[in-house]
Amino acid sequence: GLNRWIERQNKGRQFMSFFPGIDPQPGDAFACDAIDTLVVSSAKDIGGFSVRRALPTARRRMVGPFIFFDQMGPAVLTPDKMLDVLPHPHIGLATVTYLYDGRIRHRDSLGSDMVIAPGDVNLMTAGRGIVHSERTPEFMRDEPMAVSGLQTWIALPDRVEDMNPAFASIRSDALQEHREKALGLRVIMGSFGGLSSPVPTYSGTTYVDIRLGAGGSLDLPADIEERAIYTLSGVIEIGGDTFGPHQLIVFKPGEVIRISASEEAHCVLLGGDSIGSKRHIWWNFVSSSQEKIEQAKEEWRTGRFGIVPGDEDEFIPLPG
């Protein structure tokens, strides 16, 4: 099952996300001068559940504060293979979960217990340390369920990486949108095009869901320090180059970038201010200090992290 697969992967991997994925690959050469890096996300099939990882990669560790980016699904979960990510710890980051299909029940060591629905945003800020689990809700386990969405990690800047842990769930109808004939925008985090999100941020962060219709286009402003587009479906055009699904296109700073589509396409914009200092990453831990990661490893190994109320019987052991 998924739990055993995760445990096996943990033993052999230096780090993992909400779902285990495999490292992305660099893309082909490109002609557009505005593009810094192209990454083609690699898919890992977990019992019929596809996970594609776009960050981190050896060529690009972060884009703004984003240090992990996974596309989960689309997939159909069946009653014998529902989602069960066992309790596991985090430090130094905030996880952002955004669904297009399905439901996931989040529980954590603060006592949070929330079922996230499509269009909602779950922001779990680990700070100095938190434990959480992610499972298919009990009331949805009897029938097949389509699931797809995005899981990202935001690295916390130095001044708040040891803050008290926190959890926020923002409902879909609280997010600002713009719709016209060939363009739809939804601001998940930060501000864009006069729209703002109520989701808390800890440094300059931009995260926007973009849907282009046939003939649609959008200009990405030059004032976002670090920017990338991740393509979910369809084909987009940038500076004469075309990009299909599952590609992370990282742009050079300082230029307005126009993206366009001749047919329907779906992508997300992610980025923001550079964290400004190095980040170490090991398993589920992110920190400016290797010593803090070693401390977190020992605390998880010896049971000094918190427990998840209602989900105390299982956990993912420390790798190695």
Side-chain angles (χ1 to χ4, degrees):
L2 179 59
N3 297 342
R4 291 191 296 275
W5 194 95
I6 290 173
E7 291 176 12
R8 289 198 301 271
Q9 289 298 304
N10 284 347
K11 291 178 181 178
R13 292 187 59 79
Q14 184 181 17
F15 50 75
M16 62 169 284
S17 182
F18 174 170
F19 300 104
I22 60 176
D23 294 339
Q25 302 297 319
D28 296 330
F30 36 80
C32 178
D33 290 338
I35 297 174
D36 178 79
T37 309
L38 176 64
V39 174
V40 180
S41 63
S42 300
K44 181 72 178 184
D45 185 79
I46 310 170
F49 194 98
S50 174
V51 177
R52 291 182 175 273
R53 176 155 300 156
L55 286 175
T57 175
R59 296 180 63 197
R60 187 77 191 205
R61 305 298 293 173
M62 300 176 67
V63 178
F66 289 85
I67 197 167
F68 243 109
F69 188 99
D70 276 4
Q71 177 188 358
M72 46 190 179
V76 176
L77 302 179
T78 56
D80 61 327
K81 291 182 180 179
M82 289 296 178
L83 181 67
D84 284 297
V85 180
L86 306 185
H88 57 280
H90 291 282
I91 66 166
L93 57 86
T95 66
V96 185
T97 305
Y98 184 72
L99 296 182
Y100 296 112
D101 298 288
R103 302 285 193 281
I104 296 175
R105 183 183 186 186
H106 164 97
R107 288 186 285 187
D108 62 40
S109 50
L110 298 175
S112 311
D113 189 343
M114 179 66 65
V115 174
I116 183 172
D120 297 348
V121 181
N122 269 11
L123 177 73
M124 186 190 73
T125 305
R128 57 182 170 77
I130 198 168
V131 182
H132 75 139
S133 64
E134 308 281 15
R135 300 181 185 266
T136 300
E138 290 297 330
F139 67 89
M140 301 190 73
R141 287 179 174 259
D142 294 335
E143 301 290 338
M145 180 179 66
V147 176
S148 66
L150 303 173
Q151 164 88 178
T152 59
W153 290 1
I154 303 287
L156 298 177
D158 293 355
R159 70 182 189 281
V160 294
E161 66 173 329
D162 294 323
M163 66 179 283
N164 290 333
F167 175 77
S169 183
I170 290 80
R171 294 299 187 187
S172 175
D173 58 10
L175 300 181
Q176 292 190 344
E177 301 180 343
H178 170 78
R179 304 287 175 189
E180 56 187 69
K181 183 178 180 180
L183 174 65
L185 296 177
R186 197 160 201 263
V187 180
I188 303 170
M189 298 181 75
S191 299
F192 185 86
L195 307 175
S196 296
S197 168
V199 178
T201 59
Y202 301 100
S203 61
T205 305
T206 303
Y207 194 16
V208 184
D209 194 26
I210 302 167
R211 294 181 186 267
L212 295 172
S217 64
L218 176 68
D219 288 341
L220 309 182
D223 59 359
I224 304 172
E225 183 179 354
E226 297 185 2
R227 305 161 293 172
I229 287 285
Y230 181 80
T231 55
L232 290 158
S233 64
V235 176
I236 62 173
E237 180 179 325
I238 302 168
D241 289 323
T242 57
F243 303 91
H246 318 308
Q247 299 184 57
L248 182 76
I249 307 142
V250 184
F251 302 106
K252 296 175 183 177
E255 295 184 46
V256 175
I257 308 295
R258 171 159 289 190
I259 62 172
S260 59
S262 58
E263 298 180 358
E264 289 188 0
H266 186 194
C267 58
V268 291
L269 167 66
L270 62 145
D273 296 343
S274 169
I275 287 294
S277 58
K278 181 180 178 180
R279 282 296 173 274
H280 301 271
I281 181 169
W282 189 91
W283 193 39
N284 302 310
F285 305 140
V286 171
S287 180
S288 62
S289 161
Q290 184 61 42
E291 290 74 20
K292 290 179 182 177
I293 288 181
E294 295 302 319
Q295 179 183 346
K297 290 162 63 175
E298 182 62 21
E299 289 181 356
W300 184 245
R301 182 184 295 113
T302 56
R304 284 181 282 158
F305 268 85
I307 61 170
V308 177
D311 205 352
E312 307 95 338
D313 297 334
E314 298 178 288
F315 67 93
I316 300 178
L318 192 76

